Amino acid sequence: MAQSFNLVTCGCGHSFGSSKSLNNYCTKCGSSSDIKKLELFEDAEKLSYAVSVANIPDEISDELISKIKKKDSKSKFKSMPNTQNKIQLMKLATDENGELTNASLDKILLDEGKLDLTSDHLIGQAEMQGLLFRVNEKTWNWLS
Ligand SMILES: [Zn+2]
């Protein structure tokens, strides 16, 4: 039987991931009476990203938005051409072993306020341009 990855939300405003279809309870307040299923994902990685995004507006939206605005105005990437900008972001997300992961890139994108970009999309583009090659399911290395 295929496992399902659900994004569910509680009446208290907390969203979380669940691989079960029944008997969910909130990981924050413990309630099981006000759980709603929002969306179904095909893998755990997409679900975990959706969960982190889903919890932003409810818990730290104002703080995060002002932080993003502040960061954006003095972003060192702003003056760079678009493609160069994206490559710089990916380089920034690369660790000391030269490895790039979805998780590290998602973090950089969030830090830089690039909420319109996704790691999947950027990595996919770079892979097509021959800049990156896949090492395993979640890790890429640079070719140049
Ligand atoms: Zn709750």
Side-chain angles (χ1 to χ4, degrees), residues 32-66:
S32 60
S33 59
D34 200 11
I35 303 290
K36 263 186 291 194
K37 205 190 281 188
L38 292 182
E39 211 173 336
L40 180 67
F41 292 88
E42 65 213 45
D43 64 51
E45 209 176 323
K46 288 200 177 82
L47 172 63
S48 73
Y49 182 68
V51 169
S52 60
V53 171
N55 280 318
I56 292 169
D58 290 315
E59 295 186 352
I60 46 168
S61 57
D62 290 346
E63 193 190 331
L64 190 75
I65 287 166
S66 65

mmCIF file of all heavy atoms in Angstrom, residues 32-66:
data_model
loop_
_atom_site.group_PDB
_atom_site.id
_atom_site.type_symbol
_atom_site.label_atom_id
_atom_site.label_comp_id
_atom_site.label_asym_id
_atom_site.label_seq_id
_atom_site.Cartn_x
_atom_site.Cartn_y
_atom_site.Cartn_z
ATOM 1 N N SER A 32 -7.415 16.479 18.923
ATOM 2 C CA SER A 32 -7.679 15.616 17.769
ATOM 3 C C SER A 32 -9.057 15.905 17.195
ATOM 4 O O SER A 32 -9.510 15.253 16.280
ATOM 5 C CB SER A 32 -7.574 14.139 18.174
ATOM 6 O OG SER A 32 -8.529 13.869 19.174
ATOM 7 N N SER A 33 -9.729 16.908 17.746
ATOM 8 C CA SER A 33 -11.121 17.143 17.359
ATOM 9 C C SER A 33 -11.276 18.137 16.216
ATOM 10 O O SER A 33 -12.326 18.231 15.616
ATOM 11 C CB SER A 33 -11.916 17.629 18.571
ATOM 12 O OG SER A 33 -11.339 18.817 19.075
ATOM 13 N N ASP A 34 -10.238 18.893 15.926
ATOM 14 C CA ASP A 34 -10.390 19.948 14.926
ATOM 15 C C ASP A 34 -9.291 19.883 13.878
ATOM 16 O O ASP A 34 -8.676 20.876 13.514
ATOM 17 C CB ASP A 34 -10.384 21.312 15.636
ATOM 18 C CG ASP A 34 -11.016 22.392 14.747
ATOM 19 O OD1 ASP A 34 -11.613 22.044 13.714
ATOM 20 O OD2 ASP A 34 -10.891 23.576 15.094
ATOM 21 N N ILE A 35 -9.039 18.671 13.393
ATOM 22 C CA ILE A 35 -7.971 18.457 12.421
ATOM 23 C C ILE A 35 -8.563 18.409 11.022
ATOM 24 O O ILE A 35 -9.521 17.693 10.776
ATOM 25 C CB ILE A 35 -7.250 17.117 12.698
ATOM 26 C CG1 ILE A 35 -6.701 17.080 14.126
ATOM 27 C CG2 ILE A 35 -6.164 16.864 11.683
ATOM 28 C CD1 ILE A 35 -5.542 17.992 14.387
ATOM 29 N N LYS A 36 -7.988 19.217 10.142
ATOM 30 C CA LYS A 36 -8.462 19.215 8.756
ATOM 31 C C LYS A 36 -7.333 18.858 7.809
ATOM 32 O O LYS A 36 -6.215 19.335 7.957
ATOM 33 C CB LYS A 36 -8.996 20.608 8.383
ATOM 34 C CG LYS A 36 -10.505 20.710 8.531
ATOM 35 C CD LYS A 36 -10.996 22.055 8.018
ATOM 36 C CE LYS A 36 -10.538 23.182 8.918
ATOM 37 N NZ LYS A 36 -11.161 24.450 8.735
ATOM 38 N N LYS A 37 -7.635 18.040 6.822
ATOM 39 C CA LYS A 37 -6.636 17.680 5.827
ATOM 40 C C LYS A 37 -6.616 18.770 4.754
ATOM 41 O O LYS A 37 -7.647 19.118 4.197
ATOM 42 C CB LYS A 37 -7.003 16.336 5.207
ATOM 43 C CG LYS A 37 -5.806 15.595 4.658
ATOM 44 C CD LYS A 37 -6.238 14.403 3.857
ATOM 45 C CE LYS A 37 -6.625 13.217 4.716
ATOM 46 N NZ LYS A 37 -6.860 12.006 3.883
ATOM 47 N N LEU A 38 -5.454 19.336 4.487
ATOM 48 C CA LEU A 38 -5.368 20.418 3.509
ATOM 49 C C LEU A 38 -4.925 19.935 2.139
ATOM 50 O O LEU A 38 -5.473 20.325 1.128
ATOM 51 C CB LEU A 38 -4.359 21.480 3.985
ATOM 52 C CG LEU A 38 -4.710 22.318 5.210
ATOM 53 C CD1 LEU A 38 -3.621 23.321 5.460
ATOM 54 C CD2 LEU A 38 -6.038 23.022 5.003
ATOM 55 N N GLU A 39 -3.902 19.102 2.131
ATOM 56 C CA GLU A 39 -3.311 18.756 0.842
ATOM 57 C C GLU A 39 -2.561 17.438 0.949
ATOM 58 O O GLU A 39 -2.022 17.108 1.999
ATOM 59 C CB GLU A 39 -2.339 19.878 0.430
ATOM 60 C CG GLU A 39 -2.265 20.052 -1.071
ATOM 61 C CD GLU A 39 -1.427 21.280 -1.459
ATOM 62 O OE1 GLU A 39 -1.307 22.194 -0.639
ATOM 63 O OE2 GLU A 39 -0.906 21.263 -2.569
ATOM 64 N N LEU A 40 -2.526 16.721 -0.159
ATOM 65 C CA LEU A 40 -1.825 15.452 -0.211
ATOM 66 C C LEU A 40 -0.558 15.597 -1.068
ATOM 67 O O LEU A 40 -0.607 16.171 -2.142
ATOM 68 C CB LEU A 40 -2.743 14.386 -0.818
ATOM 69 C CG LEU A 40 -2.204 12.968 -0.955
ATOM 70 C CD1 LEU A 40 -1.983 12.348 0.421
ATOM 71 C CD2 LEU A 40 -3.192 12.116 -1.751
ATOM 72 N N PHE A 41 0.569 15.080 -0.550
ATOM 73 C CA PHE A 41 1.827 15.177 -1.292
ATOM 74 C C PHE A 41 2.348 13.792 -1.636
ATOM 75 O O PHE A 41 2.063 12.825 -0.938
ATOM 76 C CB PHE A 41 2.867 15.928 -0.455
ATOM 77 C CG PHE A 41 2.506 17.377 -0.294
ATOM 78 C CD1 PHE A 41 1.694 17.777 0.758
ATOM 79 C CD2 PHE A 41 2.926 18.321 -1.198
ATOM 80 C CE1 PHE A 41 1.328 19.102 0.898
ATOM 81 C CE2 PHE A 41 2.563 19.651 -1.070
ATOM 82 C CZ PHE A 41 1.769 20.036 -0.021
ATOM 83 N N GLU A 42 3.144 13.754 -2.720
ATOM 84 C CA GLU A 42 3.601 12.448 -3.172
ATOM 85 C C GLU A 42 4.847 11.963 -2.436
ATOM 86 O O GLU A 42 5.134 10.779 -2.427
ATOM 87 C CB GLU A 42 3.838 12.449 -4.685
ATOM 88 C CG GLU A 42 4.956 13.367 -5.133
ATOM 89 C CD GLU A 42 4.700 13.982 -6.502
ATOM 90 O OE1 GLU A 42 3.569 14.444 -6.741
ATOM 91 O OE2 GLU A 42 5.623 13.988 -7.309
ATOM 92 N N ASP A 43 5.590 12.864 -1.817
ATOM 93 C CA ASP A 43 6.719 12.379 -1.022
ATOM 94 C C ASP A 43 6.952 13.231 0.228
ATOM 95 O O ASP A 43 6.427 14.328 0.350
ATOM 96 C CB ASP A 43 7.995 12.247 -1.868
ATOM 97 C CG ASP A 43 8.474 13.575 -2.404
ATOM 98 O OD1 ASP A 43 8.607 14.529 -1.610
ATOM 99 O OD2 ASP A 43 8.727 13.663 -3.617
ATOM 100 N N ALA A 44 7.730 12.666 1.129
ATOM 101 C CA ALA A 44 7.923 13.272 2.450
ATOM 102 C C ALA A 44 8.661 14.607 2.356
ATOM 103 O O ALA A 44 8.429 15.510 3.161
ATOM 104 C CB ALA A 44 8.708 12.312 3.337
ATOM 105 N N GLU A 45 9.515 14.727 1.355
ATOM 106 C CA GLU A 45 10.296 15.951 1.211
ATOM 107 C C GLU A 45 9.401 17.148 0.868
ATOM 108 O O GLU A 45 9.510 18.217 1.453
ATOM 109 C CB GLU A 45 11.316 15.738 0.105
ATOM 110 C CG GLU A 45 12.568 16.547 0.283
ATOM 111 C CD GLU A 45 13.574 16.222 -0.805
ATOM 112 O OE1 GLU A 45 13.644 15.032 -1.194
ATOM 113 O OE2 GLU A 45 14.242 17.126 -1.266
ATOM 114 N N LYS A 46 8.493 16.925 -0.094
ATOM 115 C CA LYS A 46 7.573 17.993 -0.486
ATOM 116 C C LYS A 46 6.670 18.355 0.689
ATOM 117 O O LYS A 46 6.363 19.517 0.920
ATOM 118 C CB LYS A 46 6.713 17.548 -1.676
ATOM 119 C CG LYS A 46 7.493 17.467 -2.977
ATOM 120 C CD LYS A 46 6.527 17.513 -4.166
ATOM 121 C CE LYS A 46 7.277 17.517 -5.489
ATOM 122 N NZ LYS A 46 7.674 16.174 -5.908
ATOM 123 N N LEU A 47 6.266 17.325 1.437
ATOM 124 C CA LEU A 47 5.410 17.562 2.595
ATOM 125 C C LEU A 47 6.137 18.417 3.635
ATOM 126 O O LEU A 47 5.574 19.384 4.145
ATOM 127 C CB LEU A 47 4.977 16.232 3.220
ATOM 128 C CG LEU A 47 4.230 16.355 4.541
ATOM 129 C CD1 LEU A 47 2.922 17.111 4.380
ATOM 130 C CD2 LEU A 47 3.949 14.967 5.131
ATOM 131 N N SER A 48 7.386 18.086 3.934
ATOM 132 C CA SER A 48 8.075 18.818 4.993
ATOM 133 C C SER A 48 8.280 20.280 4.600
ATOM 134 O O SER A 48 8.201 21.181 5.433
ATOM 135 C CB SER A 48 9.397 18.145 5.358
ATOM 136 O OG SER A 48 10.343 18.357 4.350
ATOM 137 N N TYR A 49 8.500 20.527 3.310
ATOM 138 C CA TYR A 49 8.621 21.911 2.857
ATOM 139 C C TYR A 49 7.282 22.633 3.007
ATOM 140 O O TYR A 49 7.223 23.759 3.505
ATOM 141 C CB TYR A 49 9.093 21.942 1.399
ATOM 142 C CG TYR A 49 9.283 23.336 0.878
ATOM 143 C CD1 TYR A 49 10.313 24.136 1.376
ATOM 144 C CD2 TYR A 49 8.430 23.859 -0.093
ATOM 145 C CE1 TYR A 49 10.474 25.423 0.922
ATOM 146 C CE2 TYR A 49 8.602 25.151 -0.556
ATOM 147 C CZ TYR A 49 9.628 25.930 -0.056
ATOM 148 O OH TYR A 49 9.781 27.207 -0.505
ATOM 149 N N ALA A 50 6.205 21.953 2.626
ATOM 150 C CA ALA A 50 4.871 22.559 2.717
ATOM 151 C C ALA A 50 4.522 22.874 4.166
ATOM 152 O O ALA A 50 3.913 23.899 4.461
ATOM 153 C CB ALA A 50 3.828 21.620 2.114
ATOM 154 N N VAL A 51 4.932 21.993 5.074
ATOM 155 C CA VAL A 51 4.656 22.214 6.496
ATOM 156 C C VAL A 51 5.381 23.464 6.982
ATOM 157 O O VAL A 51 4.794 24.307 7.664
ATOM 158 C CB VAL A 51 5.085 20.989 7.332
ATOM 159 C CG1 VAL A 51 5.065 21.316 8.819
ATOM 160 C CG2 VAL A 51 4.163 19.806 7.053
ATOM 161 N N SER A 52 6.650 23.607 6.593
ATOM 162 C CA SER A 52 7.396 24.773 7.073
ATOM 163 C C SER A 52 6.809 26.062 6.516
ATOM 164 O O SER A 52 6.709 27.062 7.215
ATOM 165 C CB SER A 52 8.889 24.655 6.748
ATOM 166 O OG SER A 52 9.070 24.562 5.361
ATOM 167 N N VAL A 53 6.370 26.029 5.262
ATOM 168 C CA VAL A 53 5.747 27.207 4.670
ATOM 169 C C VAL A 53 4.394 27.492 5.321
ATOM 170 O O VAL A 53 4.073 28.632 5.633
ATOM 171 C CB VAL A 53 5.587 27.036 3.137
ATOM 172 C CG1 VAL A 53 4.749 28.164 2.550
ATOM 173 C CG2 VAL A 53 6.955 27.011 2.476
ATOM 174 N N ALA A 54 3.623 26.422 5.571
ATOM 175 C CA ALA A 54 2.276 26.582 6.129
ATOM 176 C C ALA A 54 2.306 27.217 7.508
ATOM 177 O O ALA A 54 1.378 27.909 7.905
ATOM 178 C CB ALA A 54 1.559 25.231 6.194
ATOM 179 N N ASN A 55 3.375 26.994 8.248
ATOM 180 C CA ASN A 55 3.426 27.511 9.608
ATOM 181 C C ASN A 55 3.962 28.937 9.687
ATOM 182 O O ASN A 55 3.890 29.554 10.739
ATOM 183 C CB ASN A 55 4.245 26.591 10.507
ATOM 184 C CG ASN A 55 3.413 25.395 10.941
ATOM 185 O OD1 ASN A 55 2.240 25.531 11.269
ATOM 186 N ND2 ASN A 55 4.017 24.230 10.907
ATOM 187 N N ILE A 56 4.496 29.452 8.600
ATOM 188 C CA ILE A 56 5.021 30.814 8.637
ATOM 189 C C ILE A 56 3.932 31.854 8.900
ATOM 190 O O ILE A 56 4.056 32.634 9.828
ATOM 191 C CB ILE A 56 5.819 31.153 7.348
ATOM 192 C CG1 ILE A 56 7.099 30.333 7.303
ATOM 193 C CG2 ILE A 56 6.151 32.647 7.314
ATOM 194 C CD1 ILE A 56 7.806 30.406 5.958
ATOM 195 N N PRO A 57 2.835 31.848 8.129
ATOM 196 C CA PRO A 57 1.869 32.946 8.300
ATOM 197 C C PRO A 57 1.235 32.982 9.688
ATOM 198 O O PRO A 57 1.001 34.051 10.219
ATOM 199 C CB PRO A 57 0.793 32.638 7.248
ATOM 200 C CG PRO A 57 1.440 31.725 6.290
ATOM 201 C CD PRO A 57 2.452 30.947 7.061
ATOM 202 N N ASP A 58 0.984 31.830 10.277
ATOM 203 C CA ASP A 58 0.278 31.806 11.549
ATOM 204 C C ASP A 58 1.146 32.234 12.719
ATOM 205 O O ASP A 58 0.667 32.826 13.674
ATOM 206 C CB ASP A 58 -0.257 30.405 11.825
ATOM 207 C CG ASP A 58 -1.385 30.074 10.866
ATOM 208 O OD1 ASP A 58 -2.255 30.926 10.670
ATOM 209 O OD2 ASP A 58 -1.359 28.968 10.305
ATOM 210 N N GLU A 59 2.402 31.920 12.686
ATOM 211 C CA GLU A 59 3.195 32.098 13.883
ATOM 212 C C GLU A 59 4.113 33.313 13.876
ATOM 213 O O GLU A 59 4.241 33.993 14.874
ATOM 214 C CB GLU A 59 4.013 30.826 14.142
ATOM 215 C CG GLU A 59 3.069 29.680 14.435
ATOM 216 C CD GLU A 59 3.790 28.417 14.848
ATOM 217 O OE1 GLU A 59 5.029 28.392 14.757
ATOM 218 O OE2 GLU A 59 3.104 27.485 15.259
ATOM 219 N N ILE A 60 4.768 33.561 12.765
ATOM 220 C CA ILE A 60 5.752 34.644 12.785
ATOM 221 C C ILE A 60 5.624 35.556 11.576
ATOM 222 O O ILE A 60 6.588 36.185 11.169
ATOM 223 C CB ILE A 60 7.202 34.100 12.851
ATOM 224 C CG1 ILE A 60 7.399 32.961 11.853
ATOM 225 C CG2 ILE A 60 7.567 33.678 14.250
ATOM 226 C CD1 ILE A 60 8.851 32.576 11.653
ATOM 227 N N SER A 61 4.417 35.631 11.007
ATOM 228 C CA SER A 61 4.281 36.326 9.735
ATOM 229 C C SER A 61 4.803 37.763 9.768
ATOM 230 O O SER A 61 5.639 38.143 8.962
ATOM 231 C CB SER A 61 2.837 36.312 9.279
ATOM 232 O OG SER A 61 2.018 36.897 10.255
ATOM 233 N N ASP A 62 4.320 38.560 10.725
ATOM 234 C CA ASP A 62 4.702 39.970 10.745
ATOM 235 C C ASP A 62 6.207 40.139 10.916
ATOM 236 O O ASP A 62 6.844 40.911 10.218
ATOM 237 C CB ASP A 62 3.982 40.700 11.880
ATOM 238 C CG ASP A 62 2.497 40.835 11.574
ATOM 239 O OD1 ASP A 62 2.121 40.602 10.410
ATOM 240 O OD2 ASP A 62 1.743 41.157 12.489
ATOM 241 N N GLU A 63 6.728 39.378 11.872
ATOM 242 C CA GLU A 63 8.162 39.469 12.145
ATOM 243 C C GLU A 63 8.964 39.064 10.912
ATOM 244 O O GLU A 63 9.919 39.721 10.527
ATOM 245 C CB GLU A 63 8.490 38.551 13.320
ATOM 246 C CG GLU A 63 9.878 38.789 13.891
ATOM 247 C CD GLU A 63 10.254 37.693 14.876
ATOM 248 O OE1 GLU A 63 9.333 37.129 15.495
ATOM 249 O OE2 GLU A 63 11.451 37.426 15.008
ATOM 250 N N LEU A 64 8.530 37.960 10.292
ATOM 251 C CA LEU A 64 9.261 37.453 9.142
ATOM 252 C C LEU A 64 9.190 38.410 7.959
ATOM 253 O O LEU A 64 10.184 38.668 7.292
ATOM 254 C CB LEU A 64 8.703 36.088 8.739
ATOM 255 C CG LEU A 64 9.542 35.340 7.701
ATOM 256 C CD1 LEU A 64 10.796 34.782 8.356
ATOM 257 C CD2 LEU A 64 8.754 34.216 7.073
ATOM 258 N N ILE A 65 7.996 38.948 7.735
ATOM 259 C CA ILE A 65 7.824 39.855 6.602
ATOM 260 C C ILE A 65 8.687 41.103 6.771
ATOM 261 O O ILE A 65 9.366 41.528 5.837
ATOM 262 C CB ILE A 65 6.330 40.218 6.415
ATOM 263 C CG1 ILE A 65 5.587 38.996 5.850
ATOM 264 C CG2 ILE A 65 6.164 41.412 5.476
ATOM 265 C CD1 ILE A 65 4.086 39.095 5.933
ATOM 266 N N SER A 66 8.719 41.668 7.983
ATOM 267 C CA SER A 66 9.544 42.858 8.169
ATOM 268 C C SER A 66 11.020 42.514 8.054
ATOM 269 O O SER A 66 11.827 43.291 7.560
ATOM 270 C CB SER A 66 9.234 43.525 9.517
ATOM 271 O OG SER A 66 9.604 42.683 10.566
#
